[in-house]
Amino acid sequence: MTGSAEGAERTPGRLTALLIDASAEAISAAGGHAGGVYLRSRTPGLLRLAVLEGLPGPLFRPWWRLHVDRPFPVADAYRLGVEVVLPNATEAMRRYPQYAAGLPFPFGSLYVPVAGRAGVFGVLTVLRPSAADATELLPVRERMARLAEELGMALDKLEDEDASAVSWEDGPLCLRPPASRPPSGHLGRFAWDPVTGLLTADERLNVVLGSAAAEAQGTAEAFADAVAPGDAERILAALREAARGRPPALPLFVRGPDGGPRLVEVWGPYDDTARTRATTVRGVVLDPGPGTVADAAADLLPDGVLCLDRLGTVVYANPHAARLLRRPRTELLGRPLWEGVPWLNQPTLEDHLRGALLSPDPVHFHVRRPSAHGREPHATEGDWLALSVYPGPDLLTCTIRLGHRVTDSPSALPDVLGAPETPGAPSLSPLYRPIVLAIALTEAVTARQVSAVVMRELLPAFGGRRLAIYLLQERHLYLAWETGFPKGFLAPFDGVELDERLPGVETLTSGRPLFYDSMQQLADAYPGIALDATEGARAFLPLIASGRPVGSCILGFDRPRSFSTEERTVLTAMAGLIAHAMEKAQRYESEAALARGLQQALLPRRLSQHPLVETAGRYLPGTQGMEVGGDWYDVVAAGDGLALVIGDVQGHGVQAAATMGQLRSAVRAFALGDRPPDEVMSGTNHLLIDLDAGLFASCCYIRLDPVTGVAQAAVAGHPRPLLRRPDGRTHVLDLPGGVVLGVDPQATYPVTELRMEPGAVLALYTDGLVERPGVDIDDGISALRVALARAGSPGARPGGRSLAGMADRLTATARHTADRPDDIALLLATRRATPPTASEGTRRRRTDV
């Protein structure tokens, strides 16, 4: 039987094998051209792309990591546990504008959660040709759902053996999809046992290796030297990594003895069914062979011709392409295009290649070529190359020719000699950066949310590591947000006046952005200014909205860098977007403060009391939008009894809070007159209709006789209360009800009579406590019922299990949730058999305040 240590050693290989197989099968089932698997990571809320098949990993780096709260289809599929189907680009833009702005190409996509017994492991995704609508993809969805279910069961088994096995912390494994047709060259297979050191090859590998075949037999060293003498160490390293269950980045391109490209792919010893560890490493060697007839014809074409596989690797280049790109063919073949031609490694080209990989239409664009001697080129026609990329199922064909006069202004075209991006920083085309930021800012309503969007969307796009946002208030700049700066470094600059000679002040007062390539430049411009320890560049951007100063934004970089004209233009435009969003947020927060004050004034400061009844109420505002809603609760003396009331006015903001106050006053007035529950509901309904506020409200009204325990209840479109009996059994009260208030003047509200035993607990609540996006409200009510049953007796001692403590426990999860879309109200009531003592009554009154 396999030991735990050995099982842990096998886990990485088994995990990758499962993910690779599932990805390949999903692409095949969906008729897609690319796909992969996102997997949860050890960082809470962060998904990582574990497998990417059919697309070059470097071109899709911005999508390697994704937080589950982002408005992206992968995040929704994971967080909500539902499949997301985007049949075409139109549907993607409608539902996920941020995602569509980053990949504005005509393709469809599917995202299916991979669920296990204890939750969602990740998301299986496929990119495919566009479809007319989602119904066209029903067969595909069924097949992908089965694949995701099978993968989930396999990952459950893996997690049973090692609880931490199913997570991903690295970049994705980038794989070539199965070819739609067999390769034109020769392919041979081999197997290597790392325990015995024996390597065996099939007959076809002998054809590939030719005269060196005899020398390749026996050992891995001899094999590697026969396949690629100059790359033998790389092949041996790949074999060793695969033997450890950690496959190398595939595929591995090497040079044969004659300098021609060869492809080596390796599979580790994965065996999900064997109870003992498999040892054999297997692989293939592909030799494209001499040029085909088509290649020979392309060699004679007057235009340059390149062929790229779906991982961006150059598999063919005619001599004219090499001359136009000023690179030897041997430096192009077998290498990713952006490595073979380093000056093409720029965001604009990346975006064009993404378009060719994801859409069926050819892509045409121009790039400026560096001069032959590496000097800055003049803006002549000979400095421009015209490129066209034609998509295919397995290859991209790229034609290259000298550019003639282009219709676009050269200043608007990408200059390959401009400052490069920070290495490793995710990038989108500069054209789309303002679009992505603008879409993201539409969802931010507070200054903090705006700042968080800027940090998430702007910093990574330019490779920045530091951000500070200052807002103007009464001729002083106050720090609203900072990240990346040393602790306390920005404190002396908080609250500076507008007559201070500081770059963050002068960028606002002058309205001009300020760019410094290094700290030395900044120190020369502002002698004596305090600097942090880095030597990196700085950008100071004015935040001005419609001619009105709002504040300033500071971007910091770890290393010196220059800012191209295009980058300065884009950053200035983005500063304007940030300024408008901040101005809107400031107005919004002023209104929110007013609404919160109004609501606090309308909620009850203390609840009516009775010696035989204990009550406790809790209210939590939402944390999205206005953070103010129309939920309320109340306890009102009604004759010799008590009226327990809870309600929810539709919407948020000042109007909802004001309407709530009017309804609460009306219900109190009816209750104080000891009107029957149905009359209270009907009277409040007519009042809301007469107000003509354009809002409706739900409500639950229960009149309780503390002495007998008899309760009469009426409901208007509100979630039904819960009753916890003294023995702990808890159920939802089956109360017939009427429609919500404010809709039908003829509506009736039936009254239901029930009995409440001493020690029982009645729970009234609003839907914010039990409703979550993507989760059925009945599931939320069931969860609350279980929580109430487990909360313990409210009168138990010691431990302070009072009714107030029970209310705190029932709202604890919501209280610690940063993202509450709706406000929450909860009212608990319990009936005592005897009145409390004086000291106990005092304690309980204090806990309810």
Side-chain angles (χ1 to χ4, degrees):
M1 190 168 181
T2 303
S4 59
E6 188 173 335
E9 183 180 349
R10 294 170 54 208
T11 293
R14 295 176 60 195
L15 176 61
T16 54
L18 289 170
L19 300 182
I20 290 170
D21 290 346
S23 174
E25 291 182 27
I27 293 173
S28 175
H33 44 61
V37 183
Y38 279 86
L39 210 60
R40 67 193 185 191
S41 70
R42 287 193 289 269
T43 302
L46 184 68
L47 300 177
R48 291 183 183 271
L49 184 58
V51 170
L52 178 62
E53 187 165 350
L55 294 173
L59 293 190
F60 292 83
R61 186 179 292 271
W63 296 272
W64 284 14
R65 297 161 24 121
L66 190 66
H67 198 277
V68 297
D69 289 333
R70 294 290 302 277
F72 276 59
V74 171
D76 276 0
Y78 179 86
R79 188 181 67 255
L80 305 178
V82 298
E83 68 175 28
V84 176
V85 180
L86 302 176
N88 49 52
T90 301
E91 184 69 6
M93 178 58 77
R94 185 184 70 82
R95 295 176 58 187
Y96 299 97
Q98 284 191 51
Y99 170 71
L103 294 171
F105 313 114
F107 67 95
S109 53
L110 297 90
Y111 310 85
V112 181
V114 179
R117 293 188 298 268
V120 179
F121 289 116
V123 178
L124 184 63
T125 178
V126 169
L127 309 183
R128 66 179 312 281
S130 297
D133 53 43
T135 58
E136 187 178 325
L137 301 179
L138 282 176
V140 171
R141 293 163 62 180
E142 292 175 0
R143 289 196 292 270
M144 283 194 62
R146 286 197 298 270
L147 288 171
E149 183 180 5
E150 292 169 2
L151 178 58
M153 290 189 292
L155 295 181
D156 268 333
K157 295 179 182 177
L158 200 60
E159 193 171 49
D160 289 341
E161 299 175 14
D162 183 353
S164 62
V166 188
S167 65
W168 199 265
E169 302 302 321
D170 302 318
L173 293 174
C174 299
L175 308 174
R176 175 177 286 99
S180 60
R181 57 188 178 191
S184 59
H186 300 289
L187 182 143
R189 302 182 181 277
F190 64 89
W192 175 58
D193 187 337
V195 176
T196 65
L198 180 64
L199 188 142
T200 57
D202 65 5
E203 288 297 325
R204 288 175 292 180
L205 185 56
N206 294 333
V207 177
V208 173
L209 299 181
S211 60
E215 303 171 5
Q217 301 297 327
T219 67
E221 289 77 9
F223 163 79
D225 194 57
V227 173
D231 291 308
E233 284 303 319
R234 294 175 60 206
I235 296 175
L236 291 173
L239 292 172
R240 296 186 193 108
E241 285 295 296
R244 297 188 185 101
R246 297 191 293 272
L250 300 178
L252 184 66
F253 283 95
V254 296
R255 302 283 177 184
D258 60 353
R262 283 177 173 169
L263 169 66
V264 179
E265 297 200 44
V266 181
W267 293 272
Y270 314 139
D271 189 341
D272 289 332
T273 59
R275 297 305 297 174
T276 58
R277 186 173 186 264
T279 59
T280 304
V281 173
R282 303 181 185 278
V284 298
V285 178
L286 170 66
D287 188 337
T292 63
V293 174
D295 291 346
D299 283 350
L300 303 177
L301 292 175
D303 287 344
V305 178
L306 283 176
C307 290
L308 313 176
D309 69 8
R310 293 199 64 83
L311 294 188
T313 300
V314 179
V315 296
Y316 170 77
N318 72 353
H320 195 47
R323 286 194 295 270
L324 288 173
L325 296 174
R326 295 184 178 136
R327 301 290 292 173
R329 292 179 78 184
T330 56
E331 294 296 319
L332 292 172
L333 296 176
R335 304 181 67 180
L337 179 61
W338 44 91
E339 291 182 8
V341 189
W343 54 266
L344 285 178
N345 188 12
Q346 54 171 293
T348 303
L349 177 66
E350 290 182 8
D351 201 64
H352 289 309
L353 289 179
R354 280 192 287 262
L357 287 162
L358 295 176
S359 65
D361 302 320
V363 177
H364 310 282
F365 57 99
H366 291 76
V367 295
R368 181 178 285 177
R369 179 178 60 174
S371 66
H373 303 290
R375 297 189 300 268
E376 182 77 22
H378 301 290
T380 63
E381 292 180 354
D383 292 324
W384 291 94
L385 296 179
L387 280 74
S388 296
V389 184
Y390 299 88
D394 301 318
L395 297 176
L396 305 181
T397 302
C398 178
T399 63
I400 309 171
R401 63 183 185 277
L402 285 174
H404 299 287
R405 184 172 182 83
V406 295
T407 55
D408 299 306
S409 168
S411 63
L413 291 172
D415 183 348
V416 299
L417 297 180
E421 294 273 320
T422 301
S427 60
L428 296 173
S429 168
L431 173 64
Y432 297 111
R433 288 172 183 155
I435 297 175
V436 172
L437 181 65
I439 293 172
L441 286 174
T442 60
E443 301 176 359
V445 295
T446 68
R448 185 173 183 82
Q449 290 172 343
V450 170
S451 301
V453 167
V454 174
M455 181 186 70
R456 189 175 67 230
E457 303 293 347
L458 188 147
L459 274 187
F462 290 88
R465 294 293 183 269
R466 292 165 170 78
L467 171 70
I469 295 180
Y470 288 84
L471 297 180
L472 180 65
Q473 187 176 3
E474 297 179 354
R475 293 190 57 79
H476 289 74
L477 283 175
Y478 293 95
L479 184 63
W481 180 279
E482 67 167 308
T483 184
F485 286 94
K487 185 176 182 180
F489 172 75
L490 295 177
F493 304 102
D494 191 13
V496 297
E497 299 183 14
L498 292 186
D499 56 1
E500 295 278 352
R501 190 173 185 274
L502 295 168
V505 173
E506 293 193 0
T507 189
L508 179 61
T509 56
S510 67
R512 293 183 300 105
L514 304 176
F515 298 95
Y516 299 96
D517 296 352
S518 66
M519 282 297 202
Q520 186 58 52
Q521 280 192 6
L522 179 59
D524 292 343
Y526 295 89
I529 189 173
L531 304 175
D532 59 59
T534 65
E535 293 296 326
R538 290 288 183 271
F540 297 85
L541 308 175
L543 302 182
I544 300 174
S546 304
R548 294 184 296 275
V550 176
S552 58
C553 176
I554 304 172
L555 301 181
F557 302 82
D558 286 343
R559 291 182 293 274
R561 59 160 292 171
S562 59
F563 297 88
S564 66
T565 300
E566 181 185 43
E567 287 180 316
R568 293 176 184 231
T569 301
V570 171
L571 283 169
T572 302
M574 296 175 89
L577 295 174
I578 297 167
H580 280 283
M582 278 294 185
E583 185 183 49
K584 181 188 72 173
Q586 288 177 318
R587 292 197 304 267
Y588 201 88
E589 288 175 342
S590 296
E591 183 181 353
L594 172 63
R596 281 193 295 270
L598 173 62
Q599 187 180 49
Q600 290 299 322
L602 294 174
L603 287 172
R605 294 182 178 274
R606 61 183 298 273
L607 303 177
S608 296
Q609 300 175 12
H610 190 283
L612 295 178
V613 177
E614 179 184 357
T615 59
R618 295 292 180 267
Y619 174 80
L620 300 177
T623 57
Q624 294 181 3
M626 287 295 297
E627 300 184 6
V628 183
D631 291 16
W632 91 94
Y633 63 87
D634 209 347
V635 179
V636 187
D640 55 359
L642 285 180
L644 310 174
V645 188
I646 198 160
D648 183 1
V649 177
Q650 168 219 9
H652 297 81
V654 174
Q655 184 180 14
T659 302
M660 176 270 285
Q662 291 172 302
L663 293 187
R664 174 175 175 263
S665 297
V667 172
R668 286 187 66 87
F670 288 130
L672 289 170
D674 202 13
R675 305 277 292 275
D678 57 334
E679 293 185 18
V680 174
M681 291 288 97
S682 297
T684 309
N685 179 44
H686 285 104
L687 172 66
L688 184 55
I689 292 173
D690 292 342
L691 288 174
D692 196 21
L695 301 174
F696 58 82
S698 66
C699 186
C700 178
Y701 182 95
I702 299 178
R703 186 194 183 282
L704 173 65
D705 185 333
V707 176
T708 64
V710 174
Q712 294 178 314
V715 179
H718 198 84
R720 293 336 189 232
L722 303 179
L723 181 64
R724 182 187 188 277
R725 300 189 181 279
D727 58 6
R729 289 180 297 125
T730 306
H731 63 276
V732 181
L733 292 179
D734 184 15
L735 304 178
V739 298
V740 293
L741 306 173
V743 174
D744 180 10
Q746 306 301 321
T748 59
Y749 300 93
V751 176
T752 302
E753 187 171 292
L754 54 108
R755 180 176 175 80
M756 189 173 173
E757 305 168 78
V761 177
L762 191 62
L764 288 70
Y765 54 92
T766 57
D767 56 9
L769 186 60
V770 294
E771 195 169 31
R772 293 290 180 272
V775 179
D776 192 284
I777 190 172
D778 290 337
D779 294 338
I781 293 174
S782 297
L784 179 62
R785 180 181 61 79
V786 172
L788 181 62
R790 294 174 177 173
S793 173
R797 293 290 187 270
R801 290 188 178 274
S802 65
L803 202 65
M806 182 182 288
D808 288 336
R809 288 190 293 279
L810 294 178
T811 56
T813 300
R815 191 181 305 276
H816 293 95
T817 299
D819 189 14
R820 291 195 301 271
D822 199 1
D823 47 346
I824 293 169
L826 172 70
L827 176 62
L828 300 181
T830 186
R831 179 170 166 255
R832 304 190 187 97
T834 59
T837 64
S839 59
E840 185 181 11
T842 302
R843 284 198 303 270
R844 283 180 172 153
R845 282 194 295 274
R846 286 174 179 167
T847 58
D848 288 348
V849 174

